[in-house]
Amino acid sequence: MPLHKKIRLLLNYFLGPILFIGIGFSIYHQVIDQPQLTLHWQHIKKVFLENGRGYLPVILLFMLLNWGLESKKWQMLTSHLQPISFWMAVKSVMAGVSFTMLTPNRMGEFLGRVLYLPDGSRIRAATLTMLSSISQLAVTLFAGTLGLLWLKKIAPQLTNESFGWTGLLVNVLLYGSSLCILLGLFIYFNIGWLSRQLEKFPPFSKYAYFMHPIGEIHYKELLKLLALSIIRYCVFMVQYGLVFRFLEIDISINELLSSTSVMFLILAMVPTIALAELGIRGKVSLFVFGLFSSNSLEILVATAVIWFINIIFPAVAGSFMLLGVKIFKKT
């Protein structure tokens, strides 16, 4: 078996479960140590019964809007290879979500997306997936940096080590994300020029054909793609606001917006494995929202609700859509 396959199997089927168990054990103790745990469980059951019918359908609608925006981005990008319908773009994106459940850091997303393209266009489409990811990542890092600066202002306890935060951690997040933003935006807005420069080097010249699609994308189209990424990020923020209101978690709008953006920032920088992703999200949410709320159980439930609605539901839908896909269309 090739080395890369052995590493992949090790990550997914050995380290993933161990990491999940370790994080789950840590979260369990954090929840068990919470005062009046029984009352918190009763409160969660109560809000699900009383508020569920009003909030959950709206949160689901925002999930559809979220993936609809991502599908629009994909439809726009694939027009440089082969025009596809919006519904075809939706199926491609849903298939990509399914594949992300099988690979670390969602690296396999493009594998699901390109299955709906002709065989000869699939490798070229991988570069388009990268461009879409850079646009979303740049928005996440920029908003997270602003959120972290705002947290420093409204949360004097931010660098109190009893909360797990240190001055070093805050500075690493600030300077690290700022550097990534500058580098990411430079690559993003100069992607065509960079691809043409790579073509001049013999080791890369034979792969020039696969880079041509991103070299054809106009500056205005890159701005439009970035705008869609910003709108999609805002949808995420509204979803978290709705879920926190739904569970009646006592936190102000400023605290919610800044904490959510910092949580997204940390999640973007932390390597994840599919089986451990929910645990990692839960741990990070407690780490960030714990600055303003002691309701650990409600925070974990909010994180789980968002994860199931935004990731698991689309992944299940995508897996059903994959049933009718011909992986190899040519003989």
Side-chain angles (χ1 to χ4, degrees):
M1 182 183 294
L3 180 61
H4 71 278
K5 288 188 177 181
K6 291 181 180 179
I7 293 173
R8 186 181 62 195
L9 290 173
L10 178 67
L11 288 173
N12 280 334
Y13 300 109
F14 182 71
L15 293 181
I18 289 177
L19 187 59
F20 176 77
I21 292 170
I23 293 173
F25 188 74
S26 172
I27 291 174
Y28 170 77
H29 277 281
Q30 201 162 344
V31 171
I32 288 297
D33 293 339
Q34 182 175 346
Q36 300 179 319
L37 181 62
T38 304
L39 290 177
H40 283 285
W41 271 120
Q42 291 174 351
H43 173 256
I44 289 172
K45 292 177 183 178
K46 177 186 174 184
V47 296
F48 264 91
L49 290 173
E50 294 180 356
N51 303 340
R53 291 183 180 180
Y55 278 95
L56 289 178
V58 178
I59 296 168
L60 283 168
L61 284 175
F62 272 93
M63 179 270 288
L64 296 176
L65 177 59
N66 166 26
W67 291 113
L69 288 166
E70 184 62 25
S71 300
K72 184 62 181 177
K73 288 166 58 180
W74 184 240
Q75 183 190 25
M76 186 173 69
L77 287 170
T78 52
S79 65
H80 294 275
L81 285 175
Q82 177 181 333
I84 61 174
S85 66
F86 180 72
W87 175 238
M88 184 66 73
V90 169
K91 291 195 291 184
S92 298
V93 169
M94 293 298 100
V97 178
S98 297
F99 270 77
T100 62
M101 302 303 294
L102 305 174
T103 55
N105 267 47
R106 303 189 182 180
M107 290 166 56
E109 182 179 10
F110 80 94
L111 293 173
R113 292 192 180 194
V114 301
L115 287 179
Y116 285 90
L117 296 174
D119 295 352
S121 301
R122 290 176 177 176
I123 298 179
R124 301 174 75 197
T127 58
L128 298 176
T129 308
M130 177 189 69
L131 195 63
S132 177
S133 298
I134 291 175
S135 70
Q136 198 67 57
L137 179 63
V139 173
T140 301
L141 295 178
F142 182 74
T145 302
L146 293 180
L148 190 56
L149 290 171
W150 184 247
L151 271 187
K152 289 183 69 176
K153 181 179 179 181
I154 65 175
Q157 74 273 35
L158 186 62
T159 56
N160 187 335
E161 293 194 17
S162 63
F163 284 87
W165 294 81
T166 64
L168 177 61
L169 174 62
V170 173
N171 288 330
V172 166
L173 286 173
L174 277 175
Y175 293 114
S177 59
S178 299
L179 181 61
C180 289
I181 291 167
L182 293 174
L183 182 61
L185 289 178
F186 174 79
I187 294 173
Y188 181 74
F189 285 110
N190 295 278
I191 194 73
W193 175 80
L194 288 171
S195 65
R196 288 189 293 272
Q197 299 308 307
L198 284 174
E199 291 176 17
K200 298 176 181 178
F201 295 93
F204 300 101
S205 59
K206 59 182 178 181
Y207 302 109
Y209 171 76
F210 301 115
M211 300 290 289
H212 283 168
I214 57 175
E216 298 171 359
I217 299 176
H218 193 267
Y219 189 84
K220 291 183 179 178
E221 199 168 2
L222 290 173
L223 286 174
K224 183 178 179 181
L225 188 67
L226 195 61
L228 289 172
S229 297
I230 293 172
I231 297 171
R232 187 170 177 236
Y233 187 88
C234 292
V235 170
F236 282 127
M237 301 294 281
V238 172
Q239 274 187 312
Y240 261 89
L242 289 170
V243 171
F244 269 63
R245 181 64 64 87
F246 161 52
L247 293 172
E248 298 179 353
I249 300 173
D250 187 20
I251 186 172
S252 71
I253 186 67
N254 286 339
E255 294 167 348
L256 176 65
L257 291 176
S258 55
S259 298
T260 305
S261 64
V262 172
M263 184 189 69
F264 288 151
L265 171 66
I266 295 173
L267 288 172
M269 293 183 167
V270 174
T272 58
I273 299 171
L275 290 175
E277 183 174 351
L278 180 56
I280 292 172
R281 283 175 174 266
K283 194 68 178 175
V284 172
S285 65
L286 290 174
F287 185 62
V288 178
F289 293 111
L291 290 167
F292 305 106
S293 176
S294 60
N295 296 339
S296 300
L297 186 59
E298 284 88 341
I299 291 171
L300 288 172
V301 171
T303 303
V305 167
I306 291 288
W307 187 72
F308 272 97
I309 288 177
N310 279 355
I311 304 297
I312 299 301
F313 287 176
V316 171
S319 64
F320 280 109
M321 293 176 182
L322 283 169
L323 294 175
V325 174
K326 293 182 180 179
I327 296 178
F328 299 105
K329 299 179 182 180
K330 293 180 180 180
T331 57

